[in-house]
Coordinates of all heavy atoms in Angstrom, one line a residue:
G15 N -13.5 2.8 -17.9 CA -12.3 2.5 -18.5 C -11.4 1.6 -17.7 O -11.8 0.6 -17.2
N16 N -10.1 2.0 -17.6 CA -9.1 1.2 -16.9 C -8.9 1.6 -15.5 O -7.9 1.2 -14.9 CB -7.8 1.1 -17.7 CG -7.9 0.6 -19.1 OD1 -8.6 -0.4 -19.3 ND2 -7.3 1.2 -20.1
A17 N -9.7 2.5 -15.0 CA -9.5 3.2 -13.7 C -9.4 2.2 -12.6 O -8.5 2.3 -11.7 CB -10.6 4.2 -13.4
A18 N -10.3 1.2 -12.5 CA -10.3 0.2 -11.4 C -9.0 -0.6 -11.4 O -8.4 -0.8 -10.3 CB -11.5 -0.7 -11.5
E19 N -8.6 -1.1 -12.6 CA -7.4 -1.9 -12.6 C -6.1 -1.1 -12.3 O -5.2 -1.6 -11.6 CB -7.3 -2.5 -14.0 CG -6.2 -3.6 -14.1 CD -6.2 -4.3 -15.5 OE1 -7.1 -3.9 -16.3 OE2 -5.3 -5.1 -15.7
N20 N -6.1 0.1 -12.8 CA -4.9 1.0 -12.5 C -4.8 1.4 -11.1 O -3.7 1.5 -10.5 CB -4.9 2.2 -13.5 CG -4.5 1.8 -14.9 OD1 -3.7 0.9 -15.1 ND2 -5.1 2.4 -15.9
M21 N -6.0 1.7 -10.5 CA -6.0 2.0 -9.1 C -5.5 0.9 -8.2 O -4.9 1.0 -7.2 CB -7.4 2.5 -8.6 CG -7.5 2.8 -7.1 SD -6.3 4.0 -6.5 CE -7.1 5.5 -7.0
N22 N -5.8 -0.4 -8.7 CA -5.4 -1.5 -7.9 C -3.8 -1.6 -7.9 O -3.2 -1.9 -6.9 CB -5.9 -2.8 -8.6 CG -5.5 -4.1 -7.9 OD1 -4.5 -4.7 -8.3 ND2 -6.2 -4.5 -6.9
V23 N -3.2 -1.2 -9.0 CA -1.7 -1.1 -9.1 C -1.2 0.0 -8.1 O -0.3 -0.3 -7.4 CB -1.2 -0.8 -10.5 CG1 0.3 -0.7 -10.5 CG2 -1.6 -2.0 -11.4
L24 N -1.9 1.1 -8.1 CA -1.5 2.2 -7.1 C -1.6 1.6 -5.7 O -0.7 1.9 -4.9 CB -2.5 3.4 -7.2 CG -2.3 4.3 -8.5 CD1 -3.4 5.3 -8.5 CD2 -0.9 4.9 -8.5
R25 N -2.6 0.9 -5.4 CA -2.8 0.4 -4.0 C -1.6 -0.6 -3.7 O -1.1 -0.6 -2.6 CB -4.1 -0.3 -3.8 CG -5.3 0.6 -3.9 CD -6.6 -0.2 -3.6 NE -7.8 0.6 -3.9 CZ -8.6 0.4 -5.0 NH1 -8.3 -0.6 -5.8 NH2 -9.6 1.2 -5.2
Q26 N -1.2 -1.4 -4.7 CA -0.2 -2.4 -4.4 C 1.2 -1.7 -4.3 O 2.1 -2.2 -3.5 CB -0.2 -3.4 -5.5 CG -1.4 -4.3 -5.5 CD -1.3 -5.6 -6.3 OE1 -0.4 -6.3 -6.2 NE2 -2.3 -5.8 -7.2
I27 N 1.4 -0.6 -5.0 CA 2.6 0.2 -4.8 C 2.6 0.7 -3.4 O 3.7 0.6 -2.7 CB 2.7 1.4 -5.8 CG1 2.8 0.9 -7.2 CG2 3.8 2.3 -5.4 CD1 2.7 2.0 -8.3
G28 N 1.5 1.3 -2.9 CA 1.4 1.7 -1.5 C 1.6 0.6 -0.5 O 2.4 0.8 0.5
L29 N 1.0 -0.5 -0.8 CA 1.2 -1.7 0.2 C 2.6 -2.1 0.2 O 3.2 -2.3 1.3 CB 0.3 -2.8 -0.3 CG 0.3 -4.1 0.5 CD1 -1.1 -4.7 0.5 CD2 1.3 -5.1 0.0
N30 N 3.3 -2.2 -0.9 CA 4.7 -2.7 -0.9 C 5.6 -1.7 -0.2 O 6.5 -2.1 0.6 CB 5.2 -2.8 -2.3 CG 4.8 -4.2 -2.9 OD1 4.1 -5.0 -2.3 ND2 5.1 -4.3 -4.2
L31 N 5.4 -0.4 -0.4 CA 6.2 0.6 0.3 C 6.0 0.5 1.9 O 6.9 0.6 2.6 CB 5.8 2.0 -0.2 CG 6.4 2.4 -1.5 CD1 5.8 3.7 -2.0 CD2 7.9 2.5 -1.5
L32 N 4.7 0.4 2.3 CA 4.4 0.4 3.7 C 4.9 -0.9 4.3 O 5.2 -0.9 5.5 CB 2.9 0.6 3.9 CG 2.4 2.0 3.6 CD1 0.8 2.0 3.4 CD2 2.8 3.0 4.7
K33 N 4.9 -2.0 3.6 CA 5.3 -3.3 4.1 C 6.9 -3.3 4.3 O 7.4 -3.9 5.2 CB 5.0 -4.4 3.1 CG 3.5 -4.9 3.2 CD 3.3 -5.8 4.3 CE 1.9 -6.4 4.3 NZ 1.6 -7.3 5.4
Q34 N 7.6 -2.5 3.5 CA 9.0 -2.4 3.6 C 9.5 -1.6 4.8 O 10.6 -1.8 5.3 CB 9.6 -1.9 2.3 CG 9.4 -2.7 1.1 CD 9.9 -4.1 1.2 OE1 11.1 -4.4 1.4 NE2 9.0 -5.1 1.2
E35 N 8.6 -0.7 5.2 CA 8.9 0.2 6.4 C 8.4 -0.6 7.6 O 7.2 -0.7 7.9 CB 8.2 1.5 6.3 CG 8.8 2.6 7.1 CD 8.9 2.3 8.6 OE1 7.8 2.3 9.2 OE2 10.0 2.1 9.2
K36 N 9.3 -1.1 8.5 CA 9.0 -2.0 9.5 C 9.1 -1.4 10.9 O 8.8 -2.1 11.9 CB 9.8 -3.3 9.5 CG 9.7 -4.0 8.1 CD 10.6 -5.2 8.1 CE 10.6 -5.8 6.7 NZ 9.3 -6.2 6.2
S37 N 9.5 -0.1 11.1 CA 9.6 0.5 12.4 C 8.3 0.8 13.1 O 8.3 0.8 14.3 CB 10.5 1.7 12.3 OG 9.8 2.8 11.7
C38 N 7.3 1.1 12.3 CA 6.0 1.5 12.9 C 5.1 0.2 13.0 O 4.8 -0.4 12.0 CB 5.3 2.5 12.0 SG 3.7 3.0 12.5
K39 N 4.7 -0.1 14.2 CA 4.0 -1.3 14.5 C 2.5 -1.0 14.5 O 1.8 -1.1 15.5 CB 4.4 -1.9 15.9 CG 5.9 -2.2 16.0 CD 6.4 -3.1 14.9 CE 7.8 -3.4 15.0 NZ 8.4 -4.2 13.9
M40 N 1.9 -0.6 13.4 CA 0.5 -0.2 13.2 C -0.1 -1.1 12.1 O 0.7 -1.6 11.3 CB 0.3 1.2 12.9 CG 0.6 2.2 13.9 SD 0.3 3.9 13.3 CE 0.6 4.9 14.8
G41 N -1.4 -1.1 12.1 CA -2.1 -1.8 10.9 C -1.9 -0.9 9.7 O -1.5 0.3 9.8
M42 N -2.3 -1.4 8.5 CA -2.0 -0.7 7.3 C -2.8 0.6 7.2 O -2.3 1.6 6.8 CB -2.4 -1.7 6.1 CG -1.9 -1.2 4.8 SD -0.1 -1.0 4.7 CE 0.4 -2.7 4.8
A43 N -4.1 0.6 7.7 CA -4.9 1.8 7.6 C -4.3 2.9 8.4 O -4.3 4.0 8.0 CB -6.3 1.5 8.1
N44 N -3.8 2.6 9.6 CA -3.2 3.6 10.5 C -1.8 4.0 10.0 O -1.5 5.2 10.2 CB -3.1 3.0 11.9 CG -4.4 3.0 12.7 OD1 -5.2 3.9 12.4 ND2 -4.6 2.0 13.5
K45 N -1.1 3.1 9.3 CA 0.1 3.6 8.7 C -0.1 4.6 7.6 O 0.6 5.6 7.4 CB 0.9 2.4 8.1 CG 1.7 1.5 9.1 CD 2.4 0.4 8.3 CE 3.8 0.2 8.9 NZ 4.5 -0.8 8.1
R46 N -1.2 4.4 6.8 CA -1.6 5.4 5.8 C -1.9 6.7 6.4 O -1.5 7.8 5.9 CB -2.7 4.8 5.0 CG -2.4 3.6 4.1 CD -3.6 3.1 3.4 NE -4.0 4.0 2.3 CZ -5.1 4.1 1.7 NH1 -6.2 3.4 2.1 NH2 -5.4 4.9 0.7

Protein backbone atom coordinates (compact mmCIF):
# COMPACT_ATOMS: atom_id res chain seq x y z
CA GLY A 1 0.00 0.00 0.00
CA ASN A 2 1.13 3.49 0.93
CA ALA A 3 3.16 2.39 3.96
CA ALA A 4 6.60 3.17 2.50
CA GLU A 5 5.65 6.67 1.38
CA ASN A 6 3.85 7.52 4.62
CA MET A 7 6.71 6.19 6.74
CA ASN A 8 9.01 8.47 4.77
CA VAL A 9 6.88 11.42 5.95
CA LEU A 10 7.15 10.16 9.55
CA ARG A 11 10.94 10.07 9.23
CA GLN A 12 11.03 13.62 7.88
CA ILE A 13 8.86 14.82 10.77
CA GLY A 14 11.36 13.21 13.14
CA LEU A 15 14.32 14.66 11.24
CA ASN A 16 12.88 18.19 11.32
CA LEU A 17 12.18 18.02 15.04
CA LEU A 18 15.66 16.70 15.83
CA LYS A 19 17.30 19.29 13.56
CA GLN A 20 15.51 22.11 15.41
CA GLU A 21 16.88 20.93 18.78
CA LYS A 22 20.49 22.12 18.69
CA SER A 23 21.76 21.70 22.27
CA CYS A 24 22.72 18.04 21.86
CA LYS A 25 25.86 17.60 19.74
CA MET A 26 25.21 14.02 18.60
CA GLY A 27 24.56 12.35 15.28
CA MET A 28 20.97 11.72 14.27
CA ALA A 29 20.96 8.03 15.24
CA ASN A 30 22.25 8.83 18.74
CA LYS A 31 19.78 11.68 19.15
CA ARG A 32 16.99 9.22 18.44
